[in-house]
């Protein structure tokens, strides 16, 4: 039988390297953004681009806001953070709260009480 070629290696980036890169990007934008608009605009653009990429896989557009939020919890969160969101809650009046009990980007921040002291 013919020898099968090995699959190409997966392109991966370590979580710690990604975290350091994120911190450096935030530090670079912090002095330039007096009102916080510039980093928010960058985050919005990156999130929108990722959503468009995920939606280009032949999925129909969302029928209502609940479908869009479910997409964020399942597919977007998994693509961006490597896991689905832990919980989704709503007050039945249009406000959705997404919970991630182990959100790695906030893991190294001090608790709110320690930050205020």
């Amino acid at each position: 039988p013919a020898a099968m070629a090995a699959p190409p290696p997966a392109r991966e980036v370590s979580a710690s390297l990604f975290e350091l890169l994120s911190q450096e990007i935030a530090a670079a934008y912090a002095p330039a953004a007096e009102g916080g608009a510039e980093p928010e605009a960058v985050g919005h653009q990156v999130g929108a681009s990722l959503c468009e990429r995920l939606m280009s896989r032949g999925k129909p557009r969302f029928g209502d806001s609940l479908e869009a939020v479910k997409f964020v919890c399942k597919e977007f969160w998994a693509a961006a953070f490597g896991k689905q969101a832990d919980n989704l809650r709503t007050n039945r009046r249009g406000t959705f709260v997404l919970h991630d009990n182990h959100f790695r980007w906030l893991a190294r921040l001090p608790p709110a009480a320690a930050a205020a002291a």
Side-chain angles (χ1 to χ4, degrees), residues 19-20 72 97 104 110:
E19 186 176 327
L20 289 172
V72 169
V97 179
R104 67 178 186 220

Side-chain angles (χ1 to χ4, degrees), residues 57-105:
R57 296 180 182 168
K59 297 180 192 245
R61 295 289 174 187
F62 306 123
D64 62 1
S65 59
L66 181 59
E67 288 181 26
V69 173
K70 285 181 180 179
F71 168 80
V72 169
C73 289
K74 293 179 180 180
E75 297 186 42
F76 177 84
W77 212 259
F81 305 113
K83 66 185 244 10
Q84 290 185 1
D86 294 318
N87 196 348
L88 171 65
R89 296 186 185 190
T90 180
N91 66 355
R92 307 262 185 230
R93 287 182 248 141
T95 301
F96 296 93
V97 179
L98 186 143
H99 292 268
D100 187 336
N101 298 327
H102 303 286
F103 189 63
R104 67 178 186 220
W105 290 7

